[in-house]
Amino acid sequence: MLRARELEVERLQVSREQCISSKQHLEYLLEEKQKEIDRQMKRGEELESKHAEERRRQEGRFESDLKAFNAVSFAKEKKLRDHLELNEKQFAEEQFLRLQEVNYLRQKFEKITEKIKQEEAKEALDKEEEALRIRESCREKMLKAEVELNERAHALEMELMERQQQELIELFEENENEKQELLKKWLEDQEALQKAATEVPQEEDDNLSDEAECVICFEELGANRALLKPCGHAKICLNCALDLWKNKKPHCPICRGIIASKPAPPPSKVFL
């Protein structure tokens, strides 16, 4: 599930990068259109500059011609004046035509520019709407995936809780069974010890009274005798038995058997 979630996040990241790439492409197109507009405006300015230069050239030519005509003959002045007037009229007409052509080109350029702006705005709006639709779709998919993930996590959590509860019940039952078995074994051991104590030979009882000394400190035992379990030896005083019990692995000093429980005074009959 985590891998699927990671794949979904990576796919969303790719979609985001595609949107960024589309945005950069649109910005590049806008810059190119703006450059084209600047070039066209520059071309119009160059045309106007050329017309002004041509006019200045013609005016210079006219003045030079006028001076030449004045120098050559006064008689030709009228003819030259008429010719100049005619030239001025033609120049005015040509200038008027040029101005009309410039205005027409300017209006056409403005229309083309406006159309380009409208198309770019429409294309940008379409791209933005498409990006919004993609974003909403991705958001819905993410929400759906999150809901499914939460549901699966809740189901897994419930299943885990049920399994843990079942395991706890089984452990509790096993613990109870072990307690019953240990209690049963302890009762059997106690009955066996009592039975063995009742069946101890008389001669060993006599030896007990004769050898009433601790095998460790050699003090007289008397009522200070301790019974070691499970071996059942009682030839040690209670103080020495408790000292042995404090060791990590207490052993019987007679048979070297492990002492399983805390030493205590023996009953009236004991198996040595």
Side-chain angles (χ1 to χ4, degrees):
M1 288 186 293
L2 291 175
R3 181 59 182 170
R5 185 70 179 272
E6 290 176 356
L7 291 174
E8 185 68 21
V9 170
E10 291 177 357
R11 192 175 62 79
L12 293 175
Q13 185 68 24
V14 171
S15 299
R16 182 173 178 270
E17 293 176 355
Q18 290 178 355
C19 292
I20 293 172
S21 177
S22 299
K23 183 179 178 182
Q24 293 177 354
H25 181 66
L26 290 173
E27 291 176 353
Y28 174 76
L29 291 176
L30 288 173
E31 291 177 358
E32 292 295 326
K33 294 294 183 181
Q34 186 64 36
K35 290 180 181 180
E36 183 66 23
I37 292 170
D38 293 336
R39 286 196 297 269
Q40 291 181 359
M41 292 180 67
K42 186 176 180 180
R43 190 179 299 168
E45 291 175 357
E46 289 176 357
L47 289 174
E48 291 179 359
S49 176
K50 287 181 180 180
H51 291 317
E53 186 178 357
E54 183 66 24
R55 181 178 177 182
R56 287 193 298 271
R57 236 186 346 261
Q58 289 180 0
E59 288 178 355
R61 189 183 299 169
F62 170 73
E63 290 177 359
S64 63
D65 291 338
L66 181 60
K67 289 179 181 179
F69 288 146
N70 288 328
V72 173
S73 177
F74 181 75
K76 295 181 178 180
E77 184 179 356
K78 185 177 180 181
K79 185 177 180 180
L80 292 173
R81 189 179 292 113
D82 295 336
H83 183 69
L84 179 61
E85 291 178 355
L86 181 60
N87 287 335
E88 287 181 351
K89 186 176 181 181
Q90 290 178 356
F91 178 75
E93 291 177 355
E94 185 177 357
Q95 187 178 9
F96 179 74
L97 292 174
R98 293 294 182 183
L99 289 174
Q100 286 184 345
E101 185 178 358
V102 169
N103 291 329
Y104 174 74
L105 291 174
R106 187 175 295 171
Q107 291 176 0
K108 189 175 181 180
F109 174 74
E110 290 177 355
K111 289 180 180 180
I112 293 172
T113 304
E114 186 67 24
K115 188 176 180 180
I116 290 171
K117 289 181 178 180
Q118 291 177 358
E119 290 179 355
E120 289 177 352
K122 185 178 179 181
E123 185 177 358
L125 184 61
D126 293 339
K127 293 289 185 180
E128 186 175 358
E129 290 177 353
E130 184 68 22
L132 289 174
R133 285 196 296 270
I134 293 172
R135 190 179 301 170
E136 290 295 329
S137 177
C138 293
R139 184 179 179 183
E140 290 176 359
K141 289 180 179 179
M142 287 181 65
L143 291 174
K144 186 177 180 181
E146 186 175 359
V147 170
E148 291 178 356
L149 183 62
N150 291 331
E151 290 178 354
R152 291 179 182 176
H154 181 68
L156 289 175
E157 185 177 359
M158 294 299 295
E159 184 180 354
L160 182 60
M161 289 177 64
E162 291 177 358
R163 189 181 300 170
Q164 289 179 351
Q165 187 175 4
Q166 186 66 26
E167 290 178 355
L168 288 174
I169 293 171
E170 292 177 357
L171 289 174
F172 179 76
E173 291 177 354
E174 291 177 1
N175 192 16
E176 290 294 326
N177 293 330
E178 289 179 359
K179 285 183 179 178
Q180 294 295 331
E181 291 178 0
L182 290 174
L183 180 60
K184 184 178 179 181
K185 186 177 180 180
W186 183 80
L187 292 173
E188 291 176 355
D189 293 339
Q190 292 296 322
E191 290 176 358
L193 288 173
Q194 291 178 1
K195 185 177 180 180
T198 57
E199 294 177 356
V200 64
Q202 183 65 29
E203 58 182 14
E204 291 183 358
D205 192 17
D206 295 338
N207 293 331
L208 177 63
S209 61
D210 293 339
E211 299 177 2
E213 291 182 356
C214 176
V215 296
I216 295 178
C217 64
F218 300 104
E219 295 290 336
E220 292 184 359
L221 294 175
N224 195 23
R225 189 186 301 273
L227 177 64
L228 303 180
K229 296 179 181 180
C231 63
H233 292 115
K235 292 182 179 181
I236 184 172
C237 65
L238 185 60
N239 293 329
C240 293
L242 292 176
D243 290 337
L244 288 174
W245 178 250
K246 292 179 182 178
N247 296 329
K248 291 183 178 180
K249 293 182 178 181
H251 294 277
C252 175
I254 297 172
C255 66
R256 301 305 296 171
I258 296 176
I259 302 173
S261 61
K262 187 176 181 180
S268 58
K269 296 293 181 178
V270 66
F271 174 72
L272 298 179

